[in-house]
Amino acid sequence: MNINFDDLNSDNPKIKYGTTKRLIEIAEKNPIKLYPYFDYIKELINHKNNILKWNGIRIVGHLAKVDKEDKVEKLLGTFYDLLNCGKLITAGNTIAALADIVLAKPQYTEKITEELLKVENYNYDTIECRNIVIGHVINALNLYFCQISDINTIIPFLCRQMNNSRNATSKKAQKFLKKINAKFNMKNR
């Protein structure tokens, strides 16, 4: 692997952020190459530099695909806390990582879904930020909704979001509910 983790501490932004970009690419395409560095990568989640933090969160989500030692499981509580950090981009990256974890480790579907549904009650920098975060949750649920054992656990959340003041979030909820209804109706024919 051609990554020097010390480059993440470089004062040169091209080197620092170029390295994070390469790490993300490796995590997406060949996560097994990064898995030996899991303990180092998980430290990025608490980094003072937000860009490194966000990338660390996403990388851990991708590493779930190859996590045979259940290292990701030990970080779930941290990820749940990040949903309630008040920051849109941190929460958005965490939601995407949690969706990746559910897809890789279906045994966490119900608990992660339960935690994602809580975001509508969390405070973010603005109401609009909260509404955007809710839209991210709808996208995540849409990615793995076939894995949810009781789809009725998400229906009330989606119904409430049909009236979300953010038009894009409202439309996501409406579209997702139509998809669920179509699948449910086809299943019962």
Side-chain angles (χ1 to χ4, degrees):
M1 188 174 67
N2 298 340
I3 298 290
N4 179 355
F5 284 94
D6 289 336
D7 288 345
L8 295 173
N9 297 315
S10 174
D11 291 331
N12 183 333
K14 278 187 161 184
I15 293 172
K16 180 185 296 192
Y17 301 123
T19 301
T20 61
K21 183 178 177 184
R22 284 194 305 283
L23 287 171
I24 286 287
E25 289 171 1
I26 294 167
E28 289 173 344
K29 295 176 184 169
N30 199 354
I32 196 73
K33 285 188 174 184
L34 285 183
Y35 191 71
Y37 305 97
F38 189 96
D39 291 335
Y40 183 83
I41 292 165
K42 79 175 184 183
E43 295 303 317
L44 294 176
I45 294 169
N46 298 312
H47 204 283
K48 63 183 178 190
N49 178 306
N50 281 325
I51 294 172
L52 295 180
K53 174 189 289 204
W54 301 329
N55 283 289
I57 291 166
R58 291 308 312 274
I59 291 167
V60 168
H62 292 304
L63 294 181
K65 294 177 217 158
V66 297
D67 178 31
K68 303 294 185 223
E69 299 172 35
D70 293 324
K71 291 182 176 187
V72 169
E73 178 185 16
K74 294 175 182 130
L75 293 175
L76 289 177
T78 299
F79 276 39
Y80 301 152
D81 290 343
L82 290 170
L83 292 174
N84 192 16
C85 70
K87 301 294 179 192
L88 165 65
I89 298 174
T90 301
N93 280 290
T94 304
I95 292 163
L98 286 169
D100 288 338
I101 293 167
V102 167
L103 291 169
K105 295 177 169 279
Q107 67 268 32
Y108 301 120
T109 301
E110 307 313 318
K111 179 59 178 163
I112 288 174
T113 300
E114 177 186 325
E115 294 296 327
L116 289 175
L117 294 176
K118 293 178 181 178
V119 302
E120 71 181 326
N121 299 312
Y122 294 155
N123 293 317
Y124 294 91
D125 289 330
T126 66
I127 292 171
E128 188 69 2
C129 287
R130 183 184 63 89
N131 290 336
I132 292 169
V133 169
I134 290 169
H136 288 311
V137 168
I138 293 168
N139 289 341
L141 295 171
N142 198 0
L143 286 174
Y144 70 81
F145 86 97
C146 289
Q147 291 179 207
I148 299 172
S149 61
D150 182 3
I151 202 71
N152 290 317
T153 60
I154 67 170
I155 300 291
F157 170 82
L158 294 171
C159 288
R160 286 190 299 275
Q161 300 320 314
M162 287 178 56
N163 297 317
N164 191 290
S165 60
R166 181 173 172 78
N167 192 40
T169 299
S170 174
K171 286 182 179 179
K172 286 177 188 179
Q174 293 169 27
K175 187 175 179 181
F176 189 16
L177 280 167
K178 284 181 185 176
K179 179 178 175 179
I180 290 170
N181 285 332
K183 183 164 181 69
F184 180 76
N185 288 335
M186 289 180 76
K187 192 175 170 183
N188 290 323
R189 284 187 184 172

